Amino acid sequence: SYVLTQPPSVSVAPGQTARITCGGNIIGSKGVHWYQQRPGQAPVLVVYDNDDRPSGIPERFSGSNAGNTATLTISRVEAGDEADYYCQVWDSPTDHRVFGGGTKVTVL
Amino acid sequence: QVQLQESGPGLVKPSEPLSLTCAVSGGSVSRGRNYWTWVRQPPGKGLEWIGHITNDGTIRSNSSLQTRVTISVDTSKNLFSLTMTSVTAADTAVYFCARGVESLATVTFYFDLWGQGTRVTVS
């Protein structure tokens, strides 16, 4: 089955930019979606279709996807962005929905 | 707006079945092309897709769990359910229900709405 690989953790200072990667075989050919999960809470969709934002999600959250890597970028990081972030794709051969292992973003 | 709420027993004995329901409010499980989904998260670990059911009864489940999982929908009560048999400690997790939607732009699926989750311990 399709495997998504994320770094376990990313640290960033307030006001700086955090980049969270999601690796997969020719992931650039897929639509990638990103979720934010704060401690003790349910996941929240922050980016869908590689680079679209649901209503209510700040413009500071953006996405890109090419080759074997998709990236979630959080600009002007705030303390409230500290959370786990998961990428997700649809694996068409199996019709499975697949999540990456998650990345913990720590705001220094 | 549409909201999802999980319910079920917090504690299940090993080898017994686990049954959870997800009540849908503010919308109908039988309207639209949605994928009513179950996702779980073991303590300290990541998210795992369990499976979904559509309002036309199409079911897909994770091949790693397929033989133990049943997903159903009750349109009269506006809810959908998960039953997992022969549970072990490895099934201890927070179980989320979610609404899956299809993106025509990228021909893929994502989850735009989640319940708050319900914790299940197998012991």
Side-chain angles (χ1 to χ4, degrees):
Chain A
S1 60
Y2 195 79
V3 176
L4 295 173
T5 301
Q6 296 183 238
S9 63
V10 167
S11 298
V12 59
Q16 299 303 302
T17 298
R19 293 181 179 83
I20 305 158
T21 59
C22 177
N25 186 40
I26 319 177
I27 195 173
S29 65
K30 297 181 179 294
V32 179
H33 321 291
W34 292 90
Y35 304 86
Q36 175 193 68
Q37 187 181 32
R38 294 190 173 104
Q41 297 187 18
V44 172
L45 181 70
V46 293
V47 166
Y48 66 98
D49 287 353
N50 299 320
D51 57 7
D52 281 331
R53 279 185 312 279
S55 62
I57 300 300
E59 291 183 6
R60 300 185 299 104
F61 289 83
S62 63
S64 62
N65 184 18
N68 292 319
T69 305
T71 303
L72 175 69
T73 301
I74 311 173
S75 304
R76 301 181 299 283
V77 165
E78 304 173 356
D81 298 331
E82 192 162 277
D84 293 325
Y85 291 84
Y86 295 89
C87 57
Q88 177 253 316
V89 301
W90 174 56
D91 181 36
S92 56
T94 60
D95 199 17
H96 283 192
R97 283 64 170 153
V98 179
F99 290 97
T103 298
K104 180 176 182 60
V105 170
T106 300
V107 181
L108 301 171
Chain B
Q1 74 273 22
V2 180
Q3 293 184 310
L4 307 178
Q5 178 66 61
E6 306 89 346
S7 61
L11 183 64
V12 180
K13 288 182 167 55
S15 80
E16 293 190 350
L18 159 67
S19 293
L20 300 174
T21 62
C22 180
V24 179
S25 59
S28 172
V29 291
S30 56
R31 197 167 298 155
R33 181 66 175 170
N34 295 310
Y35 298 79
W36 302 105
T37 300
W38 290 96
V39 174
R40 70 179 181 178
Q41 184 172 37
K45 296 189 177 181
L47 303 170
E48 180 181 30
W49 175 74
I50 297 172
H52 68 248
I53 187 169
T54 64
N55 59 358
D56 66 1
T58 300
I59 299 170
R60 289 288 185 270
S61 55
N62 194 318
S63 54
S64 67
L65 301 169
Q66 197 169 29
T67 59
R68 299 195 294 128
V69 164
T70 301
I71 300 174
S72 60
V73 64
D74 187 333
T75 55
S76 67
K77 295 181 179 179
N78 212 37
L79 58 79
F80 60 104
S81 301
L82 169 71
T83 300
M84 184 178 293
T85 58
S86 306
V87 298
T88 70
D91 296 310
T92 293
V94 175
Y95 286 75
F96 296 98
C97 59
R99 183 176 71 181
V101 295
E102 181 175 7
S103 167
L104 297 179
T106 55
V107 191
T108 183
F109 304 89
Y110 57 91
F111 310 107
D112 68 340
L113 195 61
W114 295 71
Q116 65 183 28
T118 186
R119 185 174 303 275
V120 176
T121 301
V122 179
S123 177

